[in-house]
Amino acid sequence: MKNRTLAELSLLCALAMILSYLESLVPIPIPVPGIKLGLANLAVVFAVYRLGIRQAAAVSLVRVVTIALLFGSVLSLAYSLSGAALSLLSMALLKAAKRFSPWAVSVAGGVAHNIGQLLAAAVLLETRLFLYYLPVLMLSGVVCGAAIGILAAVLIRRVRRPE
Amino acid sequence: MKKIMKNDILLVGILLLISAVGFLLRHVLGEEGKTAVVRLNGEIAARYSLETEGTFPLNGGSNVLVIRDGCAFMESADCPDRICVRQGRISRTGEVITCLPNRLTVTVEGASEEVDMISGGGGG
């Protein structure tokens, strides 16, 4: 691994962690468990395009594990891991299809993250949760993923590699 | 955002459509429920008939469920986000109140053979 890649990866990991923390400070007005802005997805989407899927997966994994250790529980780790895995998978597929912009990849990532979390909760707590929360979590995934996607698309275009 | 492509709009449209169909199904399939089923870690901890009225401490008192006028709602909880309290009243089958931090769910179900209150692990 090149030094620069390592530095970029570390920076993005730190950024994802900070964004996760910032997000935990913002109260969400809608009383549905699992709804989040997904700010950290900004760092992950950026990593997907700037460094590649595997590197983005590393950023995501580091963020999920460290944030769960700092603020979460074993259960929240399970939700987050499941969400992050499904999110990365869908972003990898859409990016590989080469027919979608980073914005759409971010939307898909947001929706998939929510579905992944919901799947874990349905398995661990109660199956009925899935159908009940799926519509609202898909909607919030689209809305938040779209907002993050606009930012991510701008960053991917504007942030240049230093030479 | 001129970089958005036709495929992007199609993808987002499909996602929104699935979500809308889900909302509709949830609305159509729900009917007035009979029982509030409390689960802790996925295991049934207690069942309460929605025809009863009362205040029920769950999970050793961490959450307090109230049943009144055929509706169930979480009156208080010791979790930090208190999302379960803000979720409000449920009365239709399939509706759920979830308290993720306390690993607790309350679902409304139809008539069952055990409509009467059964004291499970809930009565702290």
Side-chain angles (χ1 to χ4, degrees):
Chain A
M1 193 188 293
K2 278 194 223 153
N3 284 342
R4 177 183 288 165
T5 315
L6 186 62
E8 281 182 330
L9 265 180
S10 318
L11 211 65
L12 284 171
C13 286
L15 196 63
M17 285 171 67
I18 291 167
L19 289 173
S20 270
Y21 173 66
L22 277 181
E23 175 171 278
S24 72
L25 301 178
V26 182
I28 304 281
I30 309 158
V32 173
I35 284 194
K36 275 186 219 131
L37 268 173
L39 278 178
N41 212 32
L42 194 55
V44 178
V45 175
F46 185 80
V48 164
Y49 281 89
R50 178 54 55 93
L51 301 172
I53 284 288
R54 284 169 60 194
Q55 287 78 358
V59 171
S60 188
L61 186 69
V62 167
R63 174 193 77 88
V64 163
V65 172
T66 49
I67 289 296
L69 284 174
L70 287 169
F71 308 111
S73 63
V74 179
L75 213 63
S76 71
L77 178 65
Y79 302 143
S80 300
L81 274 180
S82 164
L86 205 62
S87 175
L88 277 161
L89 184 70
S90 68
M91 291 198 285
L93 288 176
L94 283 198
K95 191 193 169 213
K98 294 191 193 309
R99 282 155 189 257
F100 299 96
S101 73
W103 177 74
V105 168
S106 166
V107 171
V111 171
H113 197 282
N114 283 354
I115 293 178
Q117 282 192 319
L118 186 55
L119 271 175
V123 168
L124 293 170
L125 293 182
E126 153 72 327
T127 344
R128 265 168 248 247
L129 294 182
F130 190 76
L131 275 182
Y132 183 65
Y133 289 116
L134 184 67
V136 64
L137 283 177
M138 279 188 74
L139 184 63
S140 84
V142 169
V143 173
C144 299
I148 298 298
I150 291 171
L151 280 173
V154 170
L155 285 178
I156 291 162
R157 246 184 304 141
R158 295 276 174 88
V159 179
R160 299 231 163 88
R161 272 173 186 281
E163 288 304 328
Chain B
M1 291 286 296
K2 59 183 177 205
K3 286 246 174 159
I4 289 179
M5 299 185 242
K6 207 166 84 180
N7 289 323
D8 295 1
I9 303 295
L10 199 66
L11 177 80
V12 172
I14 290 172
L15 290 173
L16 288 176
L17 189 70
I18 296 173
S19 165
V21 169
F23 275 115
L24 199 71
L25 275 182
R26 203 172 87 173
H27 189 74
V28 170
L29 292 180
E31 50 189 23
E32 285 305 304
K34 294 268 188 284
T35 325
V37 180
V38 179
R39 283 182 177 79
L40 204 61
N41 285 314
E43 313 241 326
I44 294 180
R47 283 171 190 273
Y48 304 104
S49 165
L50 285 177
E51 280 146 27
T52 57
E53 306 240 324
T55 305
F56 309 100
L58 308 175
N59 188 25
S62 72
N63 299 62
V64 177
L65 182 77
V66 171
I67 297 178
R68 194 183 298 153
D69 306 326
C71 294
F73 61 95
M74 207 68 89
E75 189 183 59
S76 64
D78 64 1
C79 53
D81 55 17
R82 291 165 51 83
I83 283 177
C84 54
V85 177
R86 291 162 56 209
Q87 270 173 283
R89 295 163 165 254
I90 56 171
S91 63
R92 294 167 72 79
T93 52
E95 289 188 320
V96 190
I97 297 174
T98 305
C99 182
L100 280 184
N102 291 336
R103 306 169 187 199
L104 192 131
T105 62
V106 180
T107 51
V108 174
E109 296 179 11
S112 81
E113 63 275 22
E114 304 171 281
V115 280
D116 284 337
M117 201 214 307
I118 290 177
S119 69

